[in-house]
Amino acid sequence: MTEVAGLAPELAGAKKGMGSKPLASASERFTSYDVEAFEVPSGREENWRFTPRRRLRGLWETTTFDAAPTVTVSEGATVETVGRDDARIGEGGVPADRIAAAAWSAFTEATVVTLDGTPDPVTVSVTGPGEGVVAAGHVQIRTTPHTVATVVVENTGSGTLADNLEVVVADGSTLHLVVTEEWADDAVHAGAHHFSIGRDATLRGVAVQFGGDLVRIVSTVNYRGPGGDAELLGLGYADAGQHLEQRLLVDHGVPHCTSNVLYKNALQGDGAHTVWIGDVLIRAAAEQTETFELNRNLVLTPGARADSVPNLEIETGEIVSAGHASATGRFDDEQLFYLQSRGIPEDAARRLVVRGFFGEILSKITLPELRERLEAAVEAELAVTGV
Amino acid sequence: MSTLEIKDLHVSIAVDGGTKEILTGVNLTIRGGETHAIMGPNGSGKSTLAYAIAGHPKYEVTSGEILLDGVDVLSMTVDERARAGLFLAMQYPVEVPGVSTANFLRSAATAVRGEAPKLRLWVKEVKAAMSDLDIDPAFVDRNVNEGFSGGEKKRQEVLQLSLLKPKFAVLDETDSGLDVDALRVVSEGVNRYREGGETGVLLITHYTRILQHITPDVVHVFAGGKVVESGGPELADELEKNGYVRFTQPAAV
Ligand SMILES: Nc1ncnc2c1ncn2[C@@H]1O[C@H](COP(=O)(O)OP(=O)(O)OP(=O)(O)O)[C@@H](O)[C@H]1O
Ligand SMILES: [Mg+2]
């Protein structure tokens, strides 16, 4: 669906301004590959109202980029560098906001990684362009039918990056995918993840947000045929001053598909901010859908803020189940006192609480090598934050 | 033999626009092997004393001393006090969502003992301690105190006591909220902890029924933020019969 911006309800609502929430139905979300189809947002739009515009280093309005990120892929997959005219580009989805469209309109080369029953995990390393440089990137990951594959996408380095990650899961295939944001302190990353799930295909996704000054990931899940199953897990840890934003739309447009979303964020320090927006849309055609989404946030210190907006839109009564929940808890002084009163030092007490909090997600990761990779990332983050 | 000394302890809390003195000069000495009961009316400051010993940040010690074997306790952090051998079974144990009881107990034992207990022995030890207290083994997988009933929380406090084996235990109304059977089980737990004759207990209670199970050496009456009278077990019986009127009337203070 490509329309002009003026007709998009959320932008129309924004034009009316008034600072009120221009809540639009996710079913009418405006999408386009072309940046010029989007107006520069005012900041009051539903999908921009949490994002600190001044910290985006120009991404808010820019259409030009200085560079591309460095993308390297470990062995075990077919890797191609293709132009924007490659027929496969766009199979994953269409940008739904101006920054994603700007990156899409600007990239010159995309990396296409094809997994053809790859037994060992394949690592895709995306390295930022360096401090002070603004880059646009494009990566597509695709499986072949009836295969199983495991991929870790690691985002590291410095600088500012806007990019699109397309994930095309072929019919009957299973993809285990971990995407980590392990940026240096200066980094700004506005990314869009487009998941397209084939008939009887399975996606087991984990999104990890640890590093960077500002990270905003907009994820969209679409199903191409019945029997699709998407599990999206997320864990984030925001330190002082960090803005970590996760926006998801799971778009159930075909029958007999499943989605399961569980995101957990821990926050610590002054100005630590997480945003989680979870939209699940069950369209009229999507009978027998089964979906659940949950966001939990753990605020470890005063001065941190977690925003959480789950949203479920159901256009058919013929579903198996649909639910959503969100809760933000505080690690308070009484809990700290209690743990300390049993001999546990303050830093160990915090680690205990954070490990326990993330443990629920880690225990859901069935592949031992992926779980170990993530446990290592959690421990590294705990060491960095000095809890 | 260990000694816990509390000397002329004054404690205040912050209230809107100032501070309020709750403890007004507490004097108390407990030796290892002794059990002291503290009884006193609501609001007299018993829990405040317990929290001050444990080092709760809300309670500010304005003067006085707490010494454990002659060492200044007040300069220690909360966790240092616990590692030095002090334990507080709380009147209102705290829920810690996200942390399993198993994980918590092991972390606490590791901290207090100075090394991680050997896993195989530890699992046995916890199982035995739980069965002694009639606690369902499934509790180890639940989050610390989360959704536990009042009585279940109290059992958990005594479970921790039996695993951490402190030099001195302050039990703040551990008996309240327990049914008759639970009271017996919990009392037996405390008595096992006293068994060696080395450990000291400061037992805060409103009721003599727990004193039927756990015989105190000394009973203190607490009123107006300090100990106003001390005696033998017979003092508890008198309090049960006559209440605290004799100690709370202005003339008696
Ligand atoms: N955090 C606090 N904020 C305000 N007032 C407090 C606080 N803690 C204690 N107090 C006050 O201090 C006084 C003593 O309270 P404390 O809890 O020590 O009494 P107690 O003897 O344990 O009572 P009870 O028998 O009801 O348990 C009470 O008047 C109480 O209201
Ligand atoms: Mg009390």
PDB file of all heavy atoms in Angstrom, chain B residues 13 15 20 22 40-48 58-59 91 173 206, ligand 1:
ATOM      1  N   ILE B  13      13.221   9.464  62.989  1.00  0.00           N
ATOM      2  CA  ILE B  13      12.857   9.299  61.575  1.00  0.00           C
ATOM      3  C   ILE B  13      12.492  10.673  61.033  1.00  0.00           C
ATOM      4  O   ILE B  13      12.121  11.584  61.788  1.00  0.00           O
ATOM      5  CB  ILE B  13      11.672   8.346  61.386  1.00  0.00           C
ATOM      6  CG1 ILE B  13      10.477   8.811  62.227  1.00  0.00           C
ATOM      7  CG2 ILE B  13      12.058   6.922  61.733  1.00  0.00           C
ATOM      8  CD1 ILE B  13       9.185   8.218  61.780  1.00  0.00           C
ATOM      9  N   VAL B  15      10.135  13.180  59.344  1.00  0.00           N
ATOM     10  CA  VAL B  15       8.717  13.397  59.077  1.00  0.00           C
ATOM     11  C   VAL B  15       8.611  14.768  58.402  1.00  0.00           C
ATOM     12  O   VAL B  15       9.590  15.502  58.375  1.00  0.00           O
ATOM     13  CB  VAL B  15       7.875  13.380  60.382  1.00  0.00           C
ATOM     14  CG1 VAL B  15       7.788  11.974  60.940  1.00  0.00           C
ATOM     15  CG2 VAL B  15       8.448  14.325  61.415  1.00  0.00           C
ATOM     16  N   LYS B  20      11.414  13.077  64.022  1.00  0.00           N
ATOM     17  CA  LYS B  20      10.654  12.661  65.203  1.00  0.00           C
ATOM     18  C   LYS B  20      11.486  11.604  65.906  1.00  0.00           C
ATOM     19  O   LYS B  20      11.926  10.636  65.281  1.00  0.00           O
ATOM     20  CB  LYS B  20       9.323  12.087  64.714  1.00  0.00           C
ATOM     21  CG  LYS B  20       8.410  11.574  65.811  1.00  0.00           C
ATOM     22  CD  LYS B  20       7.123  11.044  65.173  1.00  0.00           C
ATOM     23  CE  LYS B  20       6.347  10.175  66.161  1.00  0.00           C
ATOM     24  NZ  LYS B  20       5.324   9.370  65.502  1.00  0.00           N
ATOM     25  N   ILE B  22      12.008   8.450  67.954  1.00  0.00           N
ATOM     26  CA  ILE B  22      11.196   7.269  68.276  1.00  0.00           C
ATOM     27  C   ILE B  22      11.841   6.496  69.438  1.00  0.00           C
ATOM     28  O   ILE B  22      11.160   6.097  70.375  1.00  0.00           O
ATOM     29  CB  ILE B  22      11.076   6.320  67.070  1.00  0.00           C
ATOM     30  CG1 ILE B  22      10.654   7.089  65.812  1.00  0.00           C
ATOM     31  CG2 ILE B  22      10.123   5.177  67.373  1.00  0.00           C
ATOM     32  CD1 ILE B  22       9.204   7.357  65.674  1.00  0.00           C
ATOM     33  N   GLY B  40       5.588  -4.776  74.214  1.00  0.00           N
ATOM     34  CA  GLY B  40       5.255  -3.369  74.389  1.00  0.00           C
ATOM     35  C   GLY B  40       4.112  -2.980  73.495  1.00  0.00           C
ATOM     36  O   GLY B  40       3.827  -3.664  72.515  1.00  0.00           O
ATOM     37  N   PRO B  41       3.441  -1.887  73.827  1.00  0.00           N
ATOM     38  CA  PRO B  41       2.263  -1.485  73.059  1.00  0.00           C
ATOM     39  C   PRO B  41       2.613  -1.109  71.615  1.00  0.00           C
ATOM     40  O   PRO B  41       3.759  -0.823  71.305  1.00  0.00           O
ATOM     41  CB  PRO B  41       1.720  -0.270  73.828  1.00  0.00           C
ATOM     42  CG  PRO B  41       2.822   0.183  74.712  1.00  0.00           C
ATOM     43  CD  PRO B  41       3.706  -0.996  74.972  1.00  0.00           C
ATOM     44  N   ASN B  42       1.583  -1.108  70.776  1.00  0.00           N
ATOM     45  CA  ASN B  42       1.743  -0.683  69.379  1.00  0.00           C
ATOM     46  C   ASN B  42       2.354   0.711  69.343  1.00  0.00           C
ATOM     47  O   ASN B  42       1.994   1.590  70.121  1.00  0.00           O
ATOM     48  CB  ASN B  42       0.376  -0.608  68.673  1.00  0.00           C
ATOM     49  CG  ASN B  42      -0.248  -1.982  68.512  1.00  0.00           C
ATOM     50  OD1 ASN B  42      -1.424  -2.174  68.788  1.00  0.00           O
ATOM     51  ND2 ASN B  42       0.533  -2.947  68.080  1.00  0.00           N
ATOM     52  N   GLY B  43       3.276   0.877  68.429  1.00  0.00           N
ATOM     53  CA  GLY B  43       3.855   2.206  68.231  1.00  0.00           C
ATOM     54  C   GLY B  43       4.892   2.602  69.254  1.00  0.00           C
ATOM     55  O   GLY B  43       5.362   3.744  69.258  1.00  0.00           O
ATOM     56  N   SER B  44       5.282   1.676  70.139  1.00  0.00           N
ATOM     57  CA  SER B  44       6.234   2.057  71.182  1.00  0.00           C
ATOM     58  C   SER B  44       7.667   2.077  70.661  1.00  0.00           C
ATOM     59  O   SER B  44       8.563   2.582  71.327  1.00  0.00           O
ATOM     60  CB  SER B  44       6.118   1.100  72.375  1.00  0.00           C
ATOM     61  OG  SER B  44       6.304  -0.240  71.941  1.00  0.00           O
ATOM     62  N   GLY B  45       7.905   1.518  69.457  1.00  0.00           N
ATOM     63  CA  GLY B  45       9.238   1.605  68.865  1.00  0.00           C
ATOM     64  C   GLY B  45       9.981   0.294  68.772  1.00  0.00           C
ATOM     65  O   GLY B  45      11.181   0.283  68.501  1.00  0.00           O
ATOM     66  N   LYS B  46       9.291  -0.824  68.929  1.00  0.00           N
ATOM     67  CA  LYS B  46       9.956  -2.129  68.895  1.00  0.00           C
ATOM     68  C   LYS B  46      10.557  -2.429  67.523  1.00  0.00           C
ATOM     69  O   LYS B  46      11.718  -2.824  67.413  1.00  0.00           O
ATOM     70  CB  LYS B  46       8.952  -3.231  69.284  1.00  0.00           C
ATOM     71  CG  LYS B  46       8.305  -3.008  70.645  1.00  0.00           C
ATOM     72  CD  LYS B  46       7.327  -4.112  70.999  1.00  0.00           C
ATOM     73  CE  LYS B  46       6.157  -4.269  70.038  1.00  0.00           C
ATOM     74  NZ  LYS B  46       5.244  -3.106  69.959  1.00  0.00           N
ATOM     75  N   SER B  47       9.743  -2.206  66.479  1.00  0.00           N
ATOM     76  CA  SER B  47      10.264  -2.460  65.131  1.00  0.00           C
ATOM     77  C   SER B  47      11.367  -1.463  64.793  1.00  0.00           C
ATOM     78  O   SER B  47      12.321  -1.799  64.090  1.00  0.00           O
ATOM     79  CB  SER B  47       9.143  -2.359  64.088  1.00  0.00           C
ATOM     80  OG  SER B  47       8.245  -3.431  64.250  1.00  0.00           O
ATOM     81  N   THR B  48      11.229  -0.265  65.293  1.00  0.00           N
ATOM     82  CA  THR B  48      12.271   0.741  65.061  1.00  0.00           C
ATOM     83  C   THR B  48      13.605   0.263  65.630  1.00  0.00           C
ATOM     84  O   THR B  48      14.652   0.406  64.986  1.00  0.00           O
ATOM     85  CB  THR B  48      11.855   2.074  65.714  1.00  0.00           C
ATOM     86  OG1 THR B  48      10.601   2.477  65.147  1.00  0.00           O
ATOM     87  CG2 THR B  48      12.894   3.151  65.487  1.00  0.00           C
ATOM     88  N   LYS B  58      16.117   4.393  56.744  1.00  0.00           N
ATOM     89  CA  LYS B  58      15.110   5.371  57.183  1.00  0.00           C
ATOM     90  C   LYS B  58      15.286   5.780  58.641  1.00  0.00           C
ATOM     91  O   LYS B  58      14.767   6.815  59.067  1.00  0.00           O
ATOM     92  CB  LYS B  58      13.715   4.772  57.027  1.00  0.00           C
ATOM     93  CG  LYS B  58      12.994   5.220  55.789  1.00  0.00           C
ATOM     94  CD  LYS B  58      11.504   4.966  55.954  1.00  0.00           C
ATOM     95  CE  LYS B  58      10.915   4.572  54.607  1.00  0.00           C
ATOM     96  NZ  LYS B  58       9.868   3.559  54.727  1.00  0.00           N
ATOM     97  N   TYR B  59      15.986   4.952  59.392  1.00  0.00           N
ATOM     98  CA  TYR B  59      16.070   5.204  60.828  1.00  0.00           C
ATOM     99  C   TYR B  59      17.440   5.773  61.171  1.00  0.00           C
ATOM    100  O   TYR B  59      18.462   5.105  61.020  1.00  0.00           O
ATOM    101  CB  TYR B  59      15.785   3.913  61.604  1.00  0.00           C
ATOM    102  CG  TYR B  59      14.405   3.389  61.285  1.00  0.00           C
ATOM    103  CD1 TYR B  59      14.192   2.564  60.186  1.00  0.00           C
ATOM    104  CD2 TYR B  59      13.292   3.777  62.038  1.00  0.00           C
ATOM    105  CE1 TYR B  59      12.928   2.123  59.850  1.00  0.00           C
ATOM    106  CE2 TYR B  59      12.024   3.336  61.720  1.00  0.00           C
ATOM    107  CZ  TYR B  59      11.844   2.507  60.623  1.00  0.00           C
ATOM    108  OH  TYR B  59      10.575   2.085  60.290  1.00  0.00           O
ATOM    109  N   GLN B  91       8.959  -8.045  60.559  1.00  0.00           N
ATOM    110  CA  GLN B  91       7.518  -8.088  60.815  1.00  0.00           C
ATOM    111  C   GLN B  91       6.764  -8.168  59.482  1.00  0.00           C
ATOM    112  O   GLN B  91       5.782  -8.877  59.369  1.00  0.00           O
ATOM    113  CB  GLN B  91       7.105  -6.835  61.606  1.00  0.00           C
ATOM    114  CG  GLN B  91       5.649  -6.847  62.047  1.00  0.00           C
ATOM    115  CD  GLN B  91       5.312  -5.676  62.971  1.00  0.00           C
ATOM    116  OE1 GLN B  91       6.166  -4.851  63.316  1.00  0.00           O
ATOM    117  NE2 GLN B  91       4.056  -5.605  63.377  1.00  0.00           N
ATOM    118  N   GLU B 173       7.961  -9.917  65.738  1.00  0.00           N
ATOM    119  CA  GLU B 173       6.604 -10.473  65.620  1.00  0.00           C
ATOM    120  C   GLU B 173       6.542 -11.627  64.626  1.00  0.00           C
ATOM    121  O   GLU B 173       5.632 -11.704  63.798  1.00  0.00           O
ATOM    122  CB  GLU B 173       5.605  -9.378  65.247  1.00  0.00           C
ATOM    123  CG  GLU B 173       5.535  -8.321  66.336  1.00  0.00           C
ATOM    124  CD  GLU B 173       4.265  -7.478  66.247  1.00  0.00           C
ATOM    125  OE1 GLU B 173       3.257  -7.968  65.693  1.00  0.00           O
ATOM    126  OE2 GLU B 173       4.287  -6.349  66.752  1.00  0.00           O
ATOM    127  N   HIS B 206       3.742  -9.690  70.941  1.00  0.00           N
ATOM    128  CA  HIS B 206       2.629  -9.171  71.729  1.00  0.00           C
ATOM    129  C   HIS B 206       2.002 -10.266  72.585  1.00  0.00           C
ATOM    130  O   HIS B 206       1.167  -9.981  73.435  1.00  0.00           O
ATOM    131  CB  HIS B 206       1.537  -8.607  70.800  1.00  0.00           C
ATOM    132  CG  HIS B 206       1.895  -7.300  70.187  1.00  0.00           C
ATOM    133  ND1 HIS B 206       1.944  -6.132  70.908  1.00  0.00           N
ATOM    134  CD2 HIS B 206       2.248  -6.980  68.931  1.00  0.00           C
ATOM    135  CE1 HIS B 206       2.287  -5.137  70.105  1.00  0.00           C
ATOM    136  NE2 HIS B 206       2.486  -5.629  68.902  1.00  0.00           N
TER     137      HIS B 206
HETATM  138  N1  LIG C   1       8.798   5.192  58.349  1.00  0.00           N
HETATM  139  C1  LIG C   1       8.030   5.782  59.277  1.00  0.00           C
HETATM  140  N2  LIG C   1       7.338   6.903  58.960  1.00  0.00           N
HETATM  141  C2  LIG C   1       6.560   7.497  59.878  1.00  0.00           C
HETATM  142  N3  LIG C   1       6.405   7.063  61.116  1.00  0.00           N
HETATM  143  C3  LIG C   1       7.063   5.963  61.479  1.00  0.00           C
HETATM  144  C4  LIG C   1       7.904   5.245  60.571  1.00  0.00           C
HETATM  145  N4  LIG C   1       8.430   4.208  61.198  1.00  0.00           N
HETATM  146  C5  LIG C   1       7.944   4.240  62.453  1.00  0.00           C
HETATM  147  N5  LIG C   1       7.131   5.290  62.613  1.00  0.00           N
HETATM  148  C6  LIG C   1       6.436   5.655  63.832  1.00  0.00           C
HETATM  149  O1  LIG C   1       7.281   5.353  64.900  1.00  0.00           O
HETATM  150  C7  LIG C   1       6.539   4.809  65.967  1.00  0.00           C
HETATM  151  C8  LIG C   1       7.127   3.483  66.347  1.00  0.00           C
HETATM  152  O2  LIG C   1       6.857   2.550  65.314  1.00  0.00           O
HETATM  153  P1  LIG C   1       7.298   1.026  65.400  1.00  0.00           P
HETATM  154  O3  LIG C   1       6.938   0.391  64.117  1.00  0.00           O
HETATM  155  O4  LIG C   1       8.703   0.957  65.825  1.00  0.00           O
HETATM  156  O5  LIG C   1       6.356   0.485  66.564  1.00  0.00           O
HETATM  157  P2  LIG C   1       6.147  -0.982  67.130  1.00  0.00           P
HETATM  158  O6  LIG C   1       6.437  -0.916  68.568  1.00  0.00           O
HETATM  159  O7  LIG C   1       6.909  -1.946  66.331  1.00  0.00           O
HETATM  160  O8  LIG C   1       4.584  -1.188  66.893  1.00  0.00           O
HETATM  161  P3  LIG C   1       3.749  -2.507  66.564  1.00  0.00           P
HETATM  162  O9  LIG C   1       3.553  -3.223  67.855  1.00  0.00           O
HETATM  163  O10 LIG C   1       2.457  -1.986  66.044  1.00  0.00           O
HETATM  164  O11 LIG C   1       4.506  -3.293  65.564  1.00  0.00           O
HETATM  165  C9  LIG C   1       5.118   4.749  65.525  1.00  0.00           C
HETATM  166  O12 LIG C   1       4.448   5.878  66.010  1.00  0.00           O
HETATM  167  C10 LIG C   1       5.205   4.807  64.030  1.00  0.00           C
HETATM  168  O13 LIG C   1       4.073   5.406  63.469  1.00  0.00           O
END
